[in-house]
Amino acid sequence: MVRNVLGSILALAGATAAVWSPFRAWYDGRHGSTYRIDDLFSGISATKAQVAGSILLPFAFAALVTLVGLMLRSRILVAVAGLITLGFAVLWMVRQGQVTGSLSVDSSGNGLGQGVAMALGGGLALLLAAGLMSGRRAAEPEPRPRSDVPTPDSPYERPYEAPYEAPYEPRHALPPDEQPPYEPPDSPPRA
């Protein structure tokens, strides 16, 4: 249970970072919410996107998959959300690298920004959360009957039928005052 709680907290943090990342600078001060989703497949352009058509869309979808995965306690869904987040962040990096020739990080604010780091970190956090969660436990199967134990229909379970004899009644079934005295054995004990 503790693993599920810690995994859920980590998954929520990762999904939050992924959704928040497009509102931060991605490259040369340009926010991720201004990159069109089409740019990831056709190449980065200078055309700015509306928020609903930006790269926010796959990250919001990943957050939705994360929430469904947490409600169902599904490690697989949380891992899929992490792969979606990492996949779209890496795809953006590949497309941006094709346009600029290389990706760089500069202390003056040029190059890769915080948004990319948040998206990558959010995806990694989702994958770690999926690994940390214990998930749902499978229902325990019903015990199978053992094959070496006789069933009630076997001849061993039908008591006191022919060729079996009636049960033995021990002598000590009598009250102590009515029991016969001890009788010595007919032959001497074996050595």
Side-chain angles (χ1 to χ4, degrees), residues 70-139:
L70 291 177
M71 282 191 285
L72 297 176
R73 290 188 351 209
S74 171
R75 298 173 64 181
I76 293 174
L77 286 177
V78 175
V80 166
L83 291 175
I84 290 171
T85 303
L86 283 175
F88 277 96
V90 169
L91 181 60
W92 176 87
M93 291 173 71
V94 168
R95 292 299 184 189
Q96 184 65 38
Q98 289 174 344
V99 169
T100 59
S102 67
L103 295 176
S104 62
V105 177
D106 191 355
S107 62
S108 62
N110 297 330
L112 293 174
Q114 292 177 347
V116 178
M118 288 178 68
L120 293 173
L124 288 175
L126 287 168
L127 289 178
L128 287 173
L132 182 63
M133 291 172 58
S134 62
R136 291 191 330 195
R137 303 243 166 123

